[in-house]
Amino acid sequence: MLVGLVPMGGFAERWRPYPCPKELLPFGTDAAGRPRVIADVVIDRMIHAGIEQLVIPVRPEKATMVMSYYGHKLTNGADVVYIAAPGPSILANLQACVPLLRGHTVLFGFPDTYFEPLEAFSLCLKVFEPGVELVLGTFENHDIPRVFTTYRDGQKLVRVRTSPKPPEEREKEVWGVAVWGPDYTERMAAWNREDGDDPSYVHNAAAQAGNSRCIPMPDNAYYEDMASYTYYERFLCRQK
């Protein structure tokens, strides 16, 4: 089964005093003119790839609003399952979902990102062949200083940087979406390094095992942390 995994367990401190979760930040409209939210971007791309279930770890404080928006089924009929996000890290929230992920192919993305193309997850699935543990969709991006930088040899994932990017590495690719299988889920479930609480650390361990891939996205558009004023305003300016 294809399972989407979209974490919504953060505090969204940078978006205060906005009264709603950052995942529900208004972001455009659909074909009928109805308003959409930023988290619809990643979920739409998962629907396009054919997910049969969506798992959302969410903080109890914002669960009511998130559940009111997404309900119990997506537009393609996929079930929506909510998990109380235990925190304090994103990795702890993902580990809480392991019982629902075991034995399945998982599509992972962040709820506050805008990226193209619509087929991003489908392209990752094309190289997710037997023996491959993890596939990352990568983008060239000059503006992401965190732990997302990837290094590859063709489509083979060599490593993921697990510390902030230095200025001279601003031109490197970053990962924005991921597809993984049961072996990676078990690797994530067993991960207990207190100093490695971001998924990139687990990605790096999978890369070192030699059975991971990455695929550059053709449209090369990725905007992280759209719920910060800076990225949101810059993105809107580029659309005018």
Side-chain angles (χ1 to χ4, degrees):
M1 182 165 67
L2 282 182
V3 178
L5 177 59
V6 180
M8 299 188 186
F11 289 91
E13 294 175 341
R14 284 171 290 184
W15 195 245
R16 292 175 181 171
Y18 183 66
C20 294
K22 67 176 180 179
E23 296 85 359
L24 301 184
L25 173 71
F27 199 82
T29 57
D30 64 13
R34 292 184 293 266
R36 307 299 306 279
V37 301
I38 183 59
D40 287 330
V41 172
V42 65
I43 294 173
D44 283 350
R45 283 141 182 75
M46 289 180 174
I47 291 173
H48 184 81
I51 59 168
E52 301 163 77
Q53 185 178 84
L54 176 66
V55 178
I56 301 177
V58 60
R59 289 189 60 79
E61 296 90 336
K62 58 186 180 183
T64 299
M65 285 182 281
V66 171
M67 294 172 71
S68 295
Y69 184 84
Y70 284 108
H72 69 286
K73 281 190 181 294
L74 300 179
T75 55
N76 71 337
D79 294 324
V80 183
V81 181
Y82 303 92
I83 293 288
S89 67
I90 183 174
L91 189 55
N93 293 338
L94 301 186
Q95 288 173 324
C97 301
V98 164
L100 295 172
L101 307 179
R102 281 196 164 109
H104 302 303
T105 299
V106 179
L107 281 56
F108 172 83
F110 295 98
D112 58 350
T113 55
Y114 176 88
F115 60 93
E116 297 288 352
L118 178 65
E119 300 81 10
F121 289 107
S122 300
L123 292 171
C124 291
L125 286 168
K126 286 184 178 180
V127 298
F128 187 67
E129 56 192 21
V132 173
E133 178 179 344
L134 169 72
V135 176
L136 298 181
T138 64
F139 306 79
E140 287 186 11
N141 193 294
H142 303 175
D143 299 322
I144 301 178
R146 298 198 299 174
V147 296
F148 289 73
T149 314
T150 60
Y151 302 84
R152 60 186 174 89
D153 181 5
Q155 287 189 345
K156 181 179 180 181
L157 178 63
V158 176
R159 68 185 177 96
V160 178
R161 174 174 284 280
T162 52
S163 60
K165 290 196 300 184
E168 64 271 15
E169 293 190 3
R170 291 298 232 194
E171 304 299 321
K172 301 296 184 181
E173 291 179 338
V174 298
W175 73 271
V177 298
V179 171
W180 68 68
D183 289 344
Y184 182 91
T185 294
E186 297 306 323
R187 182 187 296 278
M188 182 179 70
W191 190 264
N192 59 7
R193 280 184 48 189
E194 294 182 357
D195 60 336
D197 58 2
D198 185 282
S200 287
Y201 289 84
V202 192
H203 292 353
N204 195 45
Q208 292 174 354
N211 53 0
S212 299
R213 304 288 182 268
C214 54
I215 178 169
M217 293 292 112
D219 287 357
N220 205 32
Y222 185 82
Y223 300 87
E224 180 218 9
D225 199 8
M226 291 298 290
S228 73
Y229 287 110
T230 302
Y231 280 99
Y232 187 62
E233 290 172 352
R234 288 173 59 184
F235 180 84
L236 291 179
C237 289
R238 292 187 186 189
Q239 303 310 299
K240 294 179 180 179

